[in-house]
Each structure stands twice: as structure tokens, then as C-alpha cells.
Amino acid sequence: MCTQEGFQAQRSQLVGLLVSRSLEGFEGVLDWLLSWEVLSWEDYESLSIVGQPLSHLARRLLDTMWSKGAWGCEKLIAAIHEAQADSQPLMLHELSDPHSPCPVHKLQIHRPQIVRRLYSHVEGVLDLVQEQGFMSQYECDGIRLPIFTSAQRARRLLDLATLKANGLAAFLLQCVQQLPVPAALPLKDVAYKKYMSKLKATLSAQSRFLSSYDGEENLCLEDIYTENILEVQMNVGPGGPRQQSPATVSLEELFHPQGRLNEDADTVLVVGEAGSGKTTLLQQLQFLWATGQDFQEFLFVFPFSCRQLQCVTKPLSVHTLLFEHCCWPDVGPQDVFQFLLDHPDRVLLTFDGFDEFRFRFSDRERHCSPTHCMPVQNLLFNLLQGNLLKNARKVLTSRPDAVTASLRKYVCKELSLKGFSEEGIELYMRKHHHKPGVADRLVHLLRASSALHGLCHLPVFSWIVSKCHQELLLQGGGSLKTSTDMYLLILRHFLLHAYPPDTAHQGPGPSPLRGRLPMLMHLGRLALWGLGRCSYVFSARQLQAAQVDAEDISLGFLVPAKTVVPGSSAPLEFLHITFQCFFAAFYLVLSADLTSSSLRYLFNCPRLGGSPLARLLLPLCIQGSGREEDSIRTLLQKAEPHNLQITAAFLAGLLSQEHRHLLAECQASEKALLRRQTCARSCLARSLRTHFRSIPPAVPGETKSMHALPGFLGLVRSLYEMQEERLAQDAVRGLDVGHLKLTFCSVGPSECAALAFVLRHLRQPVALQLDYNSVGDVGVEQLLPCLGVCKALYLRDNNISDRGICKLVEHALHCEQLQKLALFNNKLTDGCAHSMAKLLGCKRNFLALRLGNNHITAAGAKVLAQGLQDNTSLQFLGFWGNKVGDTGAQALAEALSDHQSLKWLSLVGNNIGSAGAQALAVMLEKNTVLEELCLEDNNVYDEGVNYLAEGLKKNSSLKVLKLSNNCITCVGAEALLQALETNDTILEVWLRGNSFSPEEVETLTHKNTRLLL
């Protein structure tokens, strides 16, 4: 017996129960209450409002039932039990007369059973009722919306039949009676199949529309998704196979075995800079799975956001994580969970934004019970390690700086998201703009503006360009060079959208910014507070504390976050983490609440003393309250370093001379503004000089070398954001570094622009090493301004094509200092051969050209050979891992026969046979300077070795000949031994990996120790 008092006492538990079963489960309870005629049609409509938080609907249902007395309370409890059991038989004998005078009433009293019967046949029934003229196309499309599951579509069909008086109800009764009764399945199979269907419907609805940056537009992901460059990180040791060009893969190849680092691990790591498209990549993965297009090896996919998971304060188990924080099973939750435990290899979990998870990875606490509750960080860490749900696949995304060595131990495969290629930028614009000529004009604008084009390799900047295309096409993009420029552009765009010029009190231009300054400062205070507490999702209480009201939210920079706390109203988050950093910088640069004592504290703090943000903040000596001072000081200390670095760059940009007029409109004190700008300049210059002075002195006889420390690129970005030539000159004045190494530093086109802006002012030539980055063709163009101070440029593994290299060579022809180019492991083809030949033929001081592991064939080798014939300075030529074959080898050999400077030639892995070896042997007879010839991994065989042996008899310069892995037998080795009898110059002949038995190896080694077997 349920009393109203007892019902009221259990109210919070009932709300939790109704909410935990999801909206579909809640609607299942309503089905039973309608069928028992406990709810009137008016009651039902008030409880079926689309868009209302489920917790609100649950409380409204409790109020409605309580108002009906103890009988209503008892019926609600019974309905919850029935919905949970889902045990009502599917046979509907009571519907044997479909022409009953009250078909609408029959639909109502048998509603739960009818919904279950329609579950797998909604699409077919909708087609029938439309053919018969009972429903329009518009009405059917409304029911078919992807936000609804199959059961929800069935309910909306019944709701429409209740309201229509055209015979639809009677027709539905007839259809339902004729539908086949599904064969009875074991409850466990029924449960997991229904859960899989529900999970797919849920993810399809959640992922169908792009929601990464803008909360207003409903962009269909399928229509506008653009592939990023996704590269597999290879881990090849000294004894491993020769590394080829970077392995670029598609999203569909995410789980392919290529590039697997750890066979015992099951976590795939995708790293990428802020704004590179990691969230959208996972959204596309979820959409492909939910719609059956790919990843069907997984029965279940569970998506999670790390920034939202960290908001969960109560302990979680695997069970509560999957069901309460993702999708609740409507039938047999225990059976479903046991199925997941029995088949973990059919489960995929995705965790987006590990860099936004405030807990650092640790493997100290081990947990293996899937039902044991633990803090959310321990749960996540044990899932990633495989202690929980072992063999379930995981995908983790993060910015590179947040990934530690201890985490990488549990990664089976690592991929790097490099952003858009040049073709990707163009495709993105064309997918977003279908009006005639708009996309063409945007693409032309980007190509004409090198700096803007460089920024757009990150999808977040491409989105800004697309969003602000009208302003850009009207004004041109030539003045936009920095990230700060772009974010101020989108800021004005949003302000003008929220307050159009014809309705706003302020006119166009910067005035709307000044008119909405209090609103922007509210957002800035919230952004800074969040950065300091590693919080990126904000509750209503936190918004209120930052004085952010509905009008501030209406600007559009805060959008609803997908909550992971069941029943709670959706919190808000900034469009993107970079927007949060931008608003924090905006608040700091205009805040009048920083005292000199707080700034001195920042300067002396061990953690922040050397950071660009702390140095920039030091001069902002403005009086304020002590309480505000303490909070800002603490926030800056606790902010994540990578977010602090982005904020520092924005702060420098806002303090630049370019945006002085903007700050002047917002800042009362002109004197304070000048003081801030002056101190920002001196601090940045001093910081960079301090960084260079920390380099150890050079080893005697060697060039002074520096591998950039983590803060170096941050300082360079901040200098670039200020866009002051004299400041860059002052920062590098007197610096003497012969070799600057920036490998594995996530250098993209925008970083290349910043490096060129600063390094071009060096007075001494420098060798710039940028191997293993994301330079690309656009980045190469950004580097051109500093090419004049480079004596060597290393660009290994940078996804560069012929287009970028042709631009580089055209500029290099006029750079006297440049003597070395290393371009191996890129995407070069014969298309760049004419440019390379021109470089070799025209530059009289050029020393080294390395083109290994590209896609150059015999045709390209022939063209390059023409350049070699006019060259008198080249000493090193690397051609390994291409496809020149015998024809290409013959062309190169002929060009090098009389070459007077080349000392080292590598043709490893070029499919060279005996004909190519014969031509090279003729070259050896004539050449008098070549010291090392590398021919490993070819098809020389004994015939080719015989030719080479004859050439060695007449050669007096070669010291090393490498012939490993060429299918050579003792016949070829004997020919080499005969040549060595008359050749005292050669020191080593490599023959490892050929067709020798252990006994033959011992015998040959004993005959001549110069044979290395």
C-alpha cells in the first residue's frame, strides 16, 4: 500500500529512478499510465514537451501523480515496474476487430504492446500510411527525425493517430494485427540487441550535426566533414626496417595493424594541437558506426568527454559509467552488462580531450572489478591500462604536451592529426559555401594571403574564415596575419550578429566592442577562472558567480555542453578552448585589479617566473582589491601550461601596436596602456635572449647547437603576435647559434610564420632543423622570409609535395647562404625534378641534397642528371628509397663520371639491377673523388657485382661500397676479392643480408677483413 506521505518521502529516489533510465525509459512509463487511463491526454501532452530536461519532466510527473491521490501514486510505482520488466507478451488478440467503433481508445489501452510490435517496422508502416493518404510527407519526415529512436518514432505515430480523425487509428490497428510476431529470443539476446539499437539511435542523433564550434548552426556532419591529415607515428629502432615516408591513413584505417607499437595494449592515441579537429574526428567515427557505414566490428561504442568527466564528483564503476553517463538499457541492464563483460573485444570507448582532464595520468592504483566504485580519474586510468574491460578498444585524443611517457606505455598505436592540407582547406570552403562564386573567391583570397592561408591549416581557423566570409570578401584578408587578428574578427562578427548596426546604439567598426565591454569582461572573468581551475564546463552557479547573465550568453560564445550528470540541466562551455584562452587574455589586458605586488610575485614564482605570461603581466601595475589580487595570482599559478601559453600569445597580440586603438577605446588610462606595451616588449626580448644564453657552449671544433626547450616556440609565437620588426631584431641581437633544432615540436604553418618573423633578423647564418613536424606546402611558403639566413634547412617527414618544394627552390636560388637541403620522407615526385636540376645547375656553392624516401622515378632522375652535369660543388646526394631503377641509375652514373666534388652517393632501395650496376661501374672507372657508394636493398645479384668489381680495379677514390641485401652469392664475393687484391683505397665492402651460409661467411671474412658480412 503506497501512501501519499510515503510517496513524497521517496521523491528524490523516484526522480533518480525515472531519470536514470533515459528519455525512452521515461516514455515507457508514460505508455503504461496511458494504457491504464491513469493519465489523461492533457496530462500526457504536458509531460511530452521536446527539449525539456528529463529531470524537470520527472518532477512534473511526480506532481501529477501525487495530485491524483494514493491511487495515482500506486499506479506510478506499478508502471515503473512494468517498464523495467518489459515482460508483457506481444500477442494482441484483443485487436481482432480492427473496425471497432473506438480505434483511438484501443490504441491507448494497448499502447505498450503496440509500441513493442511496431518497434522493428516503423519505417514500413510509415510508407504504408503515406501511400494510403493518411499522412503527408512532411508529417512522416517529422517522425523520422534522427533524434528519435525506433520506439520514440512508434509513439509519435500513435500520438498523431490519436489526433487525426481521418481513419488513421483504424488503419494502424489493422497494420499492427498483421505484423509478424518476432520469434522469442533469450532475454539476454533481446536485451543486448535492443540496447545496441538504442545506442546506435542515440549516437546517430548526437553526432549527425557538427557541434564543435558553433551552437547556432545545424551543419550536417555528413555533408561538411573534411578529412584531416592523419599520420601514423612509427617507432623504428636502429635495427628495424628502413622507414618510408610518413604513413598517412584515413579515419577508417584507425584500427589497422600498421604502426602498432605495443601488442599488449588496446588504446589508440590521437594527438593534435588545439583546433586541429580531434573532437570532430571522433564525432565522425561515432556517426559512421551509428549509421552502419564503418567500424561494425564493434557492437557497442561509448563516447565520453574528459572535460565533462572531470566534473563528476561521486565515485563511479564501469557499470555506472557506461549506463548512467552514456546510455541506459531499457531491458535487462544486468544481462547487457554481463554481455559487455563477456565480449569486451566488441566494445569501443572514446575519450576526447585528455589534455583537459585535470588529473595527471598515473598507474599506481590498480583496479580490476567492473562493479567497484572509485574516483573518476582512477576509473579512466585503469580503463586505459586495460585493468578494466581488458581487450576493449579505446581511442584517446589529446594535445601532445599532455601525453606523458608513463601513459605511452599503454598505447598500442599513436597517430598525429596534422590539420588540413592545402587541398583540404579548399575542400572545406567548398563544402561550406554552395552559392556560386563564394567558395572560389574565398580560396583565391586565402592563396593571395600567405599568413591567413597558413593559419587555416587548423580547422578552427578555417571555420572562422568560413563564418566571417562576408567581412573577409568585403575588406580583403591581407591585414590578417596573427591568431589575435582572427579572434578579434570573429569577436566583432558575433557582436554584430547579436546587435546588428541598424538596431545597436553604436555604429560599425570597433564601437560595438566598446559598447559591449562589460559583457566581454564577464566572459573573460569566467574564462580565466576556468583556466585556473582546469574547468572548461560551467554550471549555472559558476556562471552566476562570474556575473554572466542571459544577455552575455546570447552573444554566442558559450554553448550548451553535453552533460554526463544524469538529470542535471546542460552546463555551458566556450565554443573552443582557444576561445576560453582568448577571453582570459582579453580580461587580463583590460583588468584594473592587478597590483604591482601581485605582478612581482608572478615574476619571482619558480613555476611561472620564466613564462611569457608572467613576464607580460609584471608591468600591469594598476591598483585593485587584495581579494581579487589573490584569486588572479592563484589562477595563473594553477593553469595548465599549454593553455597559459596560448593565453600569453593572445595577450601579446592584444598589446601590439596594431591593436592599440582597440585598447585605447576600452582603457581609460593611456599612460597605463603605454606602460604595459613597453614592458611587454622588453620582457619578451629579454626572455628570448635568456633562452638562447642558456645553451651550453659548443664543443671545440663544432658549431654551437641548440635544441629548443618547450617554452621557445611560445616566446616566438608571442613575438610574432606583436608584429613589431624592431622588437624581433632586439630579441635576437647578438645571438650566435649555428644549429637550431626543432624536431617533434608540432611546428605547423603558423609556427613557421612566427619562426621566420624572428629568425630572419639573425646576423649569423643558422642551420634550421624542422624534422618530424607538420610544415607542409603552406608552411614552406611561410619559411621563405628567413631562408636568407639559413645555411642548411632540414625538413624530414613534413608532408611536403612538389608545389611547396618548387616555391622553396625558386626562392633559394637567390639565397647565397643556403648550402644544404634535406627533404627525405616527404611526397616529392618527378614534378619537382626541374626545380632541383635548376638549383644544382645555378647554385655554385651548394653542398648537399637529400631526397630519400620520396616518389622520384627514372624520369625525374634523368632531369636531375642534367643539373648535375652543370654542377661543380655538390658533395652529398641522397636518393635512397625512390624508384629510379636501372634507367635512372644509368643517367645519374653518366652525369657523375667526370664530377669533381661529389663524395657520397646513396641509391639504396631503388630497384637497381645489373644494368644499373654496370653503368655505375663505368662511372667508378672514371670518377676520382667519390668516397662512398650505397647500393643496399637493390637487385644487383652476382652479375652486377662482377661489373662493380671491374670498376673497383680502376678506381682510386672509393673507400666504402655498401651492397647489403642484394642476393649476392659466393660467386660475386669472389669477384670482389679479386678486385680488392689490386685496390688498396677501399676500406669496407658491406655484404650483410646476402645469400651466404655461416661457413661461407667465416671463409670470406678470413680471406679479407674488408668484407663486412
Side-chain angles (χ1 to χ4, degrees):
M1 188 75 178
C2 178
T3 65
Q4 284 184 289
E5 292 77 12
F7 182 84
Q8 197 70 10
Q10 298 297 316
R11 182 180 176 89
S12 60
Q13 291 90 329
L14 288 170
V15 170
L17 189 61
L18 288 168
V19 165
S20 67
R21 301 191 67 246
S22 78
L23 180 60
E24 188 167 322
F26 178 78
E27 290 181 349
V29 174
L30 298 185
D31 289 343
W32 287 102
L33 293 174
L34 269 176
S35 70
W36 296 334
E37 299 183 318
V38 177
L39 289 178
S40 66
W41 187 252
E42 290 76 15
D43 291 333
Y44 172 73
E45 286 185 320
S46 71
L47 295 165
S48 304
I49 302 174
V50 177
Q52 282 286 320
L54 183 53
S55 57
H56 293 184
L57 297 177
R59 293 186 178 94
R60 187 177 298 169
L61 175 60
L62 295 181
D63 294 340
T64 303
M65 293 296 99
W66 189 84
S67 68
K68 296 179 184 294
W71 171 79
C73 299
E74 289 180 3
K75 286 296 183 182
L76 176 60
I77 301 299
I80 292 174
H81 287 307
E82 289 288 352
Q84 286 180 328
D86 200 16
S87 57
Q88 188 71 12
L90 290 171
M91 303 302 294
L92 300 173
H93 300 297
E94 298 88 341
L95 301 184
S96 57
D97 181 12
H99 302 292
S100 166
C102 300
V104 172
H105 185 251
K106 281 190 174 292
L107 286 181
Q108 180 174 333
I109 63 176
H110 296 291
R111 184 180 175 96
Q113 300 95 313
I114 293 174
V115 168
R116 293 184 64 199
R117 180 72 72 87
L118 283 171
Y119 184 87
S120 301
H121 306 281
V122 180
E123 292 298 322
V125 172
L126 282 173
D127 290 338
L128 282 174
V129 297
Q130 185 180 346
E131 288 175 8
Q132 296 297 320
F134 292 109
M135 290 174 59
S136 67
Q137 178 70 46
Y138 177 80
E139 290 170 325
C140 289
D141 289 344
I143 292 174
R144 286 189 171 109
L145 287 174
I147 60 173
F148 299 134
T149 64
S150 294
Q152 289 173 321
R153 291 171 185 170
R155 292 186 182 101
R156 276 143 189 83
L157 178 58
L158 295 181
D159 294 348
L160 196 59
T162 302
L163 299 174
K164 279 183 171 285
N166 62 351
L168 175 58
F171 183 75
L172 278 180
L173 287 176
Q174 183 178 355
C175 289
V176 170
Q177 189 67 24
Q178 294 174 357
L179 289 175
V181 179
L185 291 172
L187 180 60
K188 185 174 182 179
D189 290 344
V190 172
Y192 100 75
K193 288 184 178 179
K194 279 198 169 185
Y195 184 58
M196 183 172 64
S197 176
K198 178 181 180 180
L199 190 58
K200 283 197 170 187
T202 301
L203 291 195
S204 176
Q206 290 177 352
S207 60
R208 187 171 295 272
F209 297 103
L210 186 64
S211 58
S212 297
Y213 303 134
D214 198 345
E216 295 181 359
E217 293 178 306
N218 286 325
L219 299 173
C220 184
L221 182 69
E222 195 170 19
D223 294 336
I224 59 117
Y225 179 75
T226 306
E227 284 275 355
N228 276 4
I229 299 171
L230 189 63
E231 291 184 355
V232 179
Q233 299 296 308
M234 307 297 289
N235 185 18
V236 181
R242 180 170 42 82
Q243 185 173 346
Q244 298 297 317
S245 297
T248 302
V249 299
S250 64
L251 172 61
E252 290 77 10
E253 298 172 300
L254 193 65
F255 299 105
H256 284 202
Q258 180 186 20
R260 197 171 178 89
L261 305 173
N262 184 351
E263 293 297 332
D264 296 325
D266 44 38
T267 296
V268 174
L269 173 65
V270 179
V271 296
E273 292 301 311
S276 60
K278 300 183 293 295
T279 299
T280 306
L281 180 97
L282 287 187
Q283 188 175 335
Q284 175 73 353
L285 182 155
Q286 295 152 19
F287 177 75
L288 292 175
W289 175 79
T291 54
Q293 299 180 56
D294 212 323
F295 305 106
Q296 297 307 292
E297 65 269 30
F298 302 109
L299 296 178
F300 307 94
V301 173
F302 298 94
F304 299 99
S305 165
C306 290
R307 64 159 52 180
Q308 293 167 23
L309 278 179
Q310 71 176 3
C311 299
V312 179
T313 55
K314 70 174 184 179
L316 297 178
S317 65
V318 175
H319 183 279
T320 54
L321 176 71
L322 300 183
F323 291 169
E324 294 186 15
H325 295 275
C326 188
C327 183
W328 182 269
D330 295 322
V331 180
Q334 291 306 319
D335 290 325
V336 173
F337 189 60
Q338 189 59 50
F339 185 89
L340 295 174
L341 297 180
D342 293 340
H343 303 88
D345 56 314
R346 308 303 298 276
V347 175
L348 171 63
L349 300 97
T350 66
F351 298 98
D352 185 33
F354 184 71
D355 51 284
E356 297 175 352
F357 198 59
R358 68 172 176 266
F359 305 101
R360 296 302 93 193
F361 178 81
S362 170
D363 54 7
R364 293 179 181 177
E365 291 192 35
R366 303 284 177 113
H367 300 272
C368 57
S369 170
T371 56
H372 174 69
C373 290
M374 63 197 80
V376 66
Q377 66 270 27
N378 290 345
L379 178 62
L380 175 57
F381 298 161
N382 279 275
L383 283 169
L384 295 177
Q385 294 173 67
N387 300 326
L388 294 168
L389 279 185
K390 177 65 177 175
N391 295 326
R393 303 300 292 270
K394 279 85 64 175
V395 178
L396 181 71
T397 69
S398 176
R399 280 182 271 182
D401 293 344
V403 182
T404 61
S406 59
L407 174 58
R408 279 195 167 91
K409 290 191 301 184
Y410 303 100
V411 169
C412 69
K413 183 177 180 180
E414 182 174 343
L415 301 101
S416 181
L417 198 61
K418 302 284 191 174
F420 289 147
S421 64
E422 195 167 352
E423 295 78 12
I425 295 172
E426 180 175 346
L427 181 60
Y428 181 94
M429 296 303 164
R430 297 196 183 283
K431 285 189 173 185
H432 279 73
H433 300 281
H434 301 291
K435 290 183 180 180
V438 173
D440 290 334
R441 293 171 63 197
L442 272 178
V443 171
H444 177 75
L445 175 72
L446 291 177
R447 289 176 176 170
S449 174
S450 175
L452 186 57
H453 203 186
L455 289 170
C456 283
H457 91 287
L458 287 179
V460 66
F461 287 107
S462 288
W463 173 79
I464 291 176
V465 167
S466 178
K467 190 77 176 171
C468 303
H469 70 279
Q470 292 180 337
E471 297 96 316
L472 286 168
L473 292 177
L474 184 65
Q475 303 170 6
S479 62
L480 300 174
K481 296 181 179 179
T482 68
S483 299
T484 309
D485 294 339
M486 296 295 288
Y487 279 75
L488 286 173
L489 174 70
I490 193 69
L491 174 61
R492 290 191 180 96
H493 175 88
F494 272 63
L495 288 175
L496 290 174
H497 178 77
Y499 301 97
D502 56 338
T503 61
H505 295 294
Q506 307 294 339
S511 296
L513 189 67
R514 181 177 57 191
R516 306 300 164 188
L517 184 60
M519 303 167 71
L520 301 178
M521 293 297 283
H522 295 164
L523 294 174
R525 185 185 298 112
L526 177 70
L528 180 62
W529 181 89
L531 291 181
R533 285 168 170 73
C534 300
S535 177
Y536 313 102
V537 179
F538 306 101
S539 65
R541 181 178 299 177
Q542 292 166 340
L543 294 172
Q544 185 178 6
Q547 300 178 336
V548 175
D549 57 21
E551 189 177 10
D552 302 333
I553 296 170
S554 70
L555 291 178
F557 294 104
L558 289 171
V559 294
K562 184 171 60 179
T563 179
V564 296
V565 182
S568 65
S569 58
L572 298 180
E573 61 186 358
F574 281 92
L575 292 174
H576 191 261
I577 183 61
T578 52
F579 279 89
Q580 187 168 345
C581 294
F582 173 77
F583 275 103
F586 191 89
Y587 176 76
L588 287 170
V589 80
L590 293 177
S591 175
D593 296 317
L594 293 170
T595 65
S596 56
S597 61
S598 175
L599 299 173
R600 280 193 293 269
Y601 171 82
L602 286 169
F603 182 76
N604 292 320
C605 176
R607 181 181 175 189
L608 288 180
S611 77
L613 182 60
R615 293 179 182 271
L616 286 171
L617 286 175
L618 281 170
L620 313 183
C621 305
I622 302 167
Q623 297 301 314
S625 65
R627 182 176 181 182
E628 183 71 14
E629 166 197 326
D630 292 339
S631 64
I632 289 178
R633 180 175 61 191
T634 304
L635 292 173
L636 293 174
Q637 284 181 287
K638 295 184 177 180
E640 287 292 337
H642 39 265
N643 290 333
L644 207 61
Q645 193 175 86
I646 297 173
T647 306
F650 280 131
L651 189 60
L654 290 169
L655 286 169
S656 69
Q657 192 69 22
E658 177 70 21
H659 301 301
R660 181 178 176 181
H661 67 284
L662 180 146
L663 296 184
E665 291 178 354
C666 303
Q667 178 76 26
S669 173
E670 179 72 16
K671 184 177 180 181
L673 176 59
L674 288 171
R675 186 166 60 248
R676 295 178 182 191
Q677 292 173 327
T678 301
C679 291
R681 296 186 189 102
S682 62
C683 288
L684 276 173
R686 186 169 61 249
S687 296
L688 193 63
R689 288 197 297 270
T690 301
H691 190 95
F692 274 98
R693 281 197 293 267
S694 66
I695 306 168
V699 176
E702 294 185 5
T703 302
K704 189 173 184 180
S705 178
M706 169 193 138
H707 195 301
L709 299 176
F712 175 73
L713 275 179
L715 289 170
V716 171
R717 285 194 197 101
S718 295
L719 282 165
Y720 179 71
E721 290 292 321
M722 294 206 80
Q723 282 293 296
E724 296 185 22
E725 296 282 350
R726 292 186 61 184
L727 174 60
Q729 291 175 5
D730 185 52
V732 299
R733 185 181 65 248
L735 299 180
D736 180 17
V737 176
H739 190 107
L740 178 57
K741 192 175 182 181
L742 287 159
T743 58
F744 294 104
C745 287
S746 300
V747 175
S750 56
E751 288 77 20
C752 289
L755 283 168
F757 181 80
V758 175
L759 296 182
R760 63 181 172 178
H761 298 292
L762 288 171
R763 297 181 181 179
Q764 300 296 326
V766 63
L768 181 58
Q769 188 169 353
L770 295 171
D771 297 337
Y772 302 105
N773 283 296
S774 310
V775 173
D777 293 339
V778 180
V780 168
E781 189 175 355
Q782 307 301 308
L783 287 172
L784 297 183
C786 74
L787 204 58
V789 299
C790 293
K791 60 184 178 183
L793 183 60
Y794 304 89
L795 291 169
R796 175 178 183 170
D797 277 303
N798 269 289
N799 200 38
I800 301 169
S801 73
D802 297 337
R803 184 187 299 117
I805 290 307
C806 290
K807 289 181 181 178
L808 177 68
V809 170
E810 183 181 351
H811 201 82
L813 291 172
H814 308 288
C815 298
E816 184 64 26
Q817 302 285 358
L818 187 64
Q819 296 180 322
K820 298 178 182 179
L821 273 179
L823 301 168
F824 37 98
N825 290 6
N826 281 292
K827 297 183 177 180
L828 307 184
T829 72
D830 297 335
C832 70
H834 283 94
S835 293
M836 291 297 177
K838 188 176 181 181
L839 178 73
L840 294 175
C842 297
K843 274 192 69 68
R844 300 302 179 186
N845 65 340
F846 200 70
L847 301 179
L849 179 63
R850 291 177 168 87
L851 300 172
N853 288 346
N854 281 288
H855 309 282
I856 300 172
T857 69
K862 288 180 179 179
V863 175
L864 272 166
Q866 296 173 8
L868 284 171
Q869 290 176 348
D870 297 326
N871 179 274
T872 58
S873 62
L874 193 70
Q875 296 180 8
F876 303 91
L877 178 60
F879 238 98
W880 64 95
N882 283 285
K883 304 171 185 177
V884 302
D886 285 335
T887 304
Q890 289 168 342
L892 291 171
E894 183 178 352
L896 293 173
S897 293
D898 298 319
H899 203 278
Q900 297 301 308
S901 61
L902 192 72
K903 296 180 179 180
W904 180 86
L905 173 64
S906 175
L907 292 170
V908 175
N910 268 281
N911 197 30
I912 297 172
S914 57
Q918 183 179 15
L920 290 168
V922 174
M923 180 269 292
L924 289 176
E925 292 179 7
K926 299 177 180 179
N927 189 287
T928 59
V929 294
L930 187 68
E931 296 180 358
E932 185 169 339
L933 176 61
C934 306
L935 293 173
E936 300 108 301
D937 300 314
N938 281 295
N939 302 305
V940 171
Y941 297 107
D942 291 335
E943 183 181 1
V945 171
N946 286 330
Y947 290 129
L948 290 170
E950 291 300 318
L952 287 178
K953 291 177 181 179
K954 299 178 182 179
N955 181 275
S956 59
S957 63
L958 197 70
K959 296 179 181 178
V960 178
L961 175 62
K962 297 183 178 180
L963 293 169
S964 301
N965 302 315
N966 268 287
C967 303
I968 302 169
T969 69
C970 280
V971 175
E974 287 295 338
L976 288 170
L977 285 172
Q978 292 178 19
L980 293 179
E981 290 178 1
T982 58
N983 187 320
D984 296 328
T985 307
I986 195 159
L987 304 177
E988 297 176 357
V989 178
W990 292 24
L991 291 173
R992 299 183 181 95
N994 284 296
S995 304
F996 303 123
S997 67
E999 295 78 13
E1000 289 171 335
V1001 169
E1002 185 177 355
T1003 301
L1004 290 171
T1005 303
H1006 181 71
K1007 287 183 177 181
N1008 197 316
T1009 57
R1010 288 183 286 174
L1011 295 183
L1012 303 182
L1013 295 101

